[in-house]
């Protein structure tokens, strides 16, 4: 019986070690995190890959932040492990007077590497235009 309990415990612990892996970086701190992200680079994979803590709820997220108040109209990219999912949409936008953020969430290892993961204005219009067309 002790052998059985030990095996179950080891299996549970080994399963917890295989959480989702995400790129974790901020382009404000390291310009290599920008959209021209070379995710195939072994050096970047080693520097920016992180296994997320909470295996059952973790997912990867990429946020592209457009700052309005910065004179040059700065754009920042943040790639991270995330734990509180926005339901319904994989990509969505947050807005404020000072900035807006395009956010995309995904569930596969290192899936937050892509520059096309961020919702574009064209795709946002394509999704919302039919909704507003019925009011015209």
């Amino acid at each position: 019986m002790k052998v059985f309990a030990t095996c179950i415990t080891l299996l549970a612990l080994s399963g917890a070690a295989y959480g989702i892996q995400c790129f974790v970086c901020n382009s404000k701190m390291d310009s290599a995190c920008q959209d021209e992200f070379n995710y195939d680079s072994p050096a970047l994979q080693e520097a920016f890959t992180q296994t997320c803590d909470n295996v059952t709820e973790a997912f990867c997220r990429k946020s592209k932040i457009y700052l309005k108040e910065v004179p040059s109209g700065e754009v920042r990219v943040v790639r991270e492990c995330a734990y509180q999912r926005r339901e319904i949409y994989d990509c969505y936008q947050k807005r404020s007077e000072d900035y807006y953020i395009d956010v995309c969430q995904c569930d596969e290892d290192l899936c937050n590497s892509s520059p096309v993961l961020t919702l574009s204005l064209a795709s946002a219009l394509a999704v919302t235009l039919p909704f507003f067309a019925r009011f015209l």
Side-chain angles (χ1 to χ4, degrees):
M1 185 66 173
K2 288 182 182 180
V3 172
F4 179 73
T6 302
C7 288
I8 295 296
T9 303
L10 288 175
L11 284 174
L13 291 175
S14 66
Y18 294 110
I20 189 170
Q21 289 189 324
C22 300
F23 286 109
V24 176
C25 60
N26 184 328
S27 65
K28 181 179 181 182
M29 309 302 191
D30 191 330
S31 63
C33 191
Q34 281 292 356
D35 257 349
E36 296 76 32
F37 189 70
N38 186 5
Y39 63 89
D40 287 334
S41 163
L44 286 182
Q45 285 186 357
E46 185 176 329
F48 295 148
T49 299
Q50 179 178 318
T51 301
C52 302
D53 293 335
N54 189 338
V55 176
T56 58
E57 297 178 22
F59 58 96
C60 299
R61 179 173 22 215
K62 176 187 171 196
S63 303
K64 192 166 184 178
I65 306 163
Y66 300 86
L67 301 170
K68 296 177 185 177
E69 296 300 318
V70 177
S72 64
E74 186 177 347
V75 177
R76 295 182 187 158
V77 175
V78 177
R79 302 169 200 274
E80 62 188 338
C81 291
Y83 304 96
Q84 189 171 13
R85 181 178 292 280
R86 172 95 179 243
E87 296 300 325
I88 302 175
Y89 302 107
D90 288 336
C91 294
Y92 56 95
Q93 192 172 78
K94 295 179 180 182
R95 291 187 166 267
S96 166
E97 289 183 21
D98 300 332
Y99 62 86
Y100 69 94
I101 305 172
D102 289 332
V103 181
C104 287
Q105 51 198 22
C106 55
D107 294 308
E108 298 173 12
D109 283 341
L110 306 178
C111 59
N112 61 342
S113 64
S114 173
V116 295
L117 185 62
T118 303
L119 180 68
S120 70
L121 178 60
S123 61
L125 288 175
V127 170
T128 58
L129 193 58
F131 175 76
F132 290 111
R134 65 182 182 188
F135 295 109
L136 299 174

